[in-house]
């Protein structure tokens, strides 16, 4: 279009989220409420078939002890008691060992690993050179004429993670914007500053071993973002992140 | 003499067949007029074995302290859920505001990028995702084999 060239440079940044794999621990009120609900359900319920069987067998055992002759021996067959079944099931359950909720990466605080903090969202941060500073940022790349901002963000993701990333971008519209003016030394009439548009995407593939990460990268939760991002940038990013 | 007898038989047969057909049609019409039988909803019919009296659970009655504790817990829960709901709504509002601001800035920048941004994303829905589990998947776990046989009853009207 023949409009005057705006003095802002455009960047597209991608906020790549790894969604939680396990449930978050229950709050105190939630636990108390869950216990109460279970108790009420138990009180309102009737005996199930298994419990009826257990009660009958207990009665029979009592009668056997009190009476002089054994009724079951007269029949001559051994019966599996419900109590034995319960013990068998309990043993089987105890033998099964589930995967731990707190992984090794959690214990060693290895922030480059994706196996950390499985109950919260993890975001990708990369170290990029802006001007003459090395900063931790969400992966961003400058917009080139002829592409939409969404494809700029996707290109940013591909630059840092390689082409074989499966991510679901949530829509065509940007989620947030960070506007900043260049320092006076570089600022000109045509080049006042930059606008960074943030897009959000969910990581689909859990295996990133094929990805060739070219720069320093980190996967961090929303609370840990404050350790790496600058305050103004952090404020804008926190607005569109749901915990 | 050979021709006359077969002709009679044919006429009588034809009449009998027509009468039979009409009777069948009348029966069909009667059946169709009757209202269709309703399909029983199995969830709403309690099986008779559960209405026996020996099934009722025998538990000690609730003490007043216990019922007091329950009432207070329910009130605490109500407040907790209200706070949680408000926090969620606030977060969603913040996200929407942030998006609106971004779109406003984009509109100031360039008209075509703005148009591209507000276009509907066809590939977004239907979006499927497996929810989180209690523990992460165990690597190398061999689940026990078995076959699932469906025994739901199918009713036809």
């Amino acid at each position: 279009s023949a409009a005057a060239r705006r003095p802002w440079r455009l960047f597209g940044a991608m906020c790549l989220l790894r969604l939680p794999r396990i449930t978050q621990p229950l709050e105190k009120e939630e636990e108390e409420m869950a216990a109460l609900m279970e108790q009420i359900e138990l009180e309102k319920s009737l005996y199930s078939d298994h419990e009826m069987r257990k009660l009958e067998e207990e009665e029979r055992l009592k009668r056997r002890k009190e009476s002089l002759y054994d009724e079951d021996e007269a029949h001559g067959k051994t019966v599996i008691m419900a109590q034995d079944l319960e013990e068998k099931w309990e043993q089987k359950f105890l033998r099964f060992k589930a995967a731990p909720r707190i992984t090794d990466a959690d214990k060693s605080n290895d922030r480059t690993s994706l196996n950390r903090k499985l109950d919260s969202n993890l975001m990708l941060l990369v170290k990029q050179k802006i001007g003459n500073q090395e900063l931790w940022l969400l992966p961003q790349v400058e917009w080139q004429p002829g592409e939409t901002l969404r494809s700029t963000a996707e290109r940013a993701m591909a630059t840092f993670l390689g082409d074989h990333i499966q991510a679901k971008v949530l829509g065509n519209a940007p989620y947030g914007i960070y506007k900043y003016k260049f320092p006076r030394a570089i600022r000109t009439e045509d080049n006042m500053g930059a606008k960074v548009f943030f897009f959000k995407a969910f990581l689909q593939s859990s295996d990133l071993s094929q990805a060739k990460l070219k720069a320093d990268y980190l996967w961090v939760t929303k609370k840990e973002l404050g350790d790496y991002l600058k305050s103004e940038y952090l404020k804008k990013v926190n607005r569109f992140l749901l915990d | 003499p050979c021709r006359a007898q077969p002709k009679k038989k044919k006429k009588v047969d034809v009449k009998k067949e027509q009468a039979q057909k009409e009777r069948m049609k009348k029966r069909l019409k009667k059946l169709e007029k009757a209202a269709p039988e309703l399909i029983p909803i199995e969830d709403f019919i309690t099986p008779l074995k559960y209405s026996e009296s020996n099934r009722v659970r025998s538990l000690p009655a609730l003490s007043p302290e216990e019922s007091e504790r329950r009432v207070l817990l329910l009130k605490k829960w109500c407040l907790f859920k209200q706070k949680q709901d408000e926090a969620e709504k606030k977060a969603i509002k913040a996200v929407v505001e942030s998006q609106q601001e971004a779109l406003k800035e984009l509109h100031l920048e360039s008209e075509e990028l703005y148009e591209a941004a507000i276009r509907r994303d066809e590939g977004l829905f239907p979006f499927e995702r497996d929810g989180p589990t209690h523990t992460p998947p165990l690597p190398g776990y061999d689940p026990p084999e078995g076959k699932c046989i469906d025994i739901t009853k199918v009713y036809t009207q």
Side-chain angles (χ1 to χ4, degrees), chain B residues 16-142:
Chain B
K16 272 190 186 174
E17 279 179 32
Q18 277 178 346
Q20 257 188 344
K21 275 185 200 170
E22 275 171 35
R23 267 182 264 146
M24 291 293 283
K25 276 184 200 169
K26 275 188 186 171
R27 275 187 213 155
L28 277 171
K29 273 188 194 171
K30 271 192 186 170
L31 282 174
E32 274 169 25
K33 273 189 194 170
E37 221 178 76
L38 298 168
I39 302 175
I41 305 174
E42 295 200 15
D43 284 338
F44 292 172
I45 310 168
T46 40
L48 287 170
K49 68 176 180 177
Y50 293 121
S51 42
E52 286 171 24
S53 60
N54 64 345
R55 287 247 179 185
V56 177
R57 213 174 271 272
S58 55
L59 290 164
L62 280 182
S63 63
E65 291 93 15
E66 178 63 21
S67 36
E68 178 89 18
R69 177 195 83 102
R70 285 187 183 186
V71 165
L72 288 172
L73 182 60
L74 285 170
K75 291 193 182 207
K76 237 178 26 167
W77 175 251
C78 197
L79 194 67
F80 172 77
K81 269 300 190 187
Q82 187 193 35
K83 294 253 161 68
Q84 200 187 52
D85 191 44
E86 274 174 24
E88 268 186 31
K89 289 198 168 129
K90 205 169 122 180
I92 294 177
K93 207 169 139 186
V95 173
V96 169
E97 268 175 19
S98 161
Q99 196 171 46
Q100 290 298 331
E101 194 191 309
L103 282 173
K104 207 173 68 175
E105 293 281 336
L106 185 56
H107 191 68
L108 288 176
E109 276 304 304
S110 114
E111 197 62 42
E112 50 180 65
L113 283 179
Y114 178 73
E115 290 301 317
I118 59 177
R119 214 175 296 152
R120 190 182 277 207
D121 184 9
E122 300 299 333
L124 186 58
F125 293 112
F127 176 53
E128 279 181 12
R129 179 180 124 74
D130 291 331
T133 50
H134 185 68
T135 51
L138 197 60
Y141 176 65
D142 192 19

Side-chain angles (χ1 to χ4, degrees), chain A residues 60 63-64 67 69-76:
Chain A
R60 225 187 291 159
R63 274 185 286 139
R64 264 173 76 171
S67 71
Y69 82 105
D70 284 327
E71 302 162 7
D72 283 330
E73 277 213 41
H75 290 287

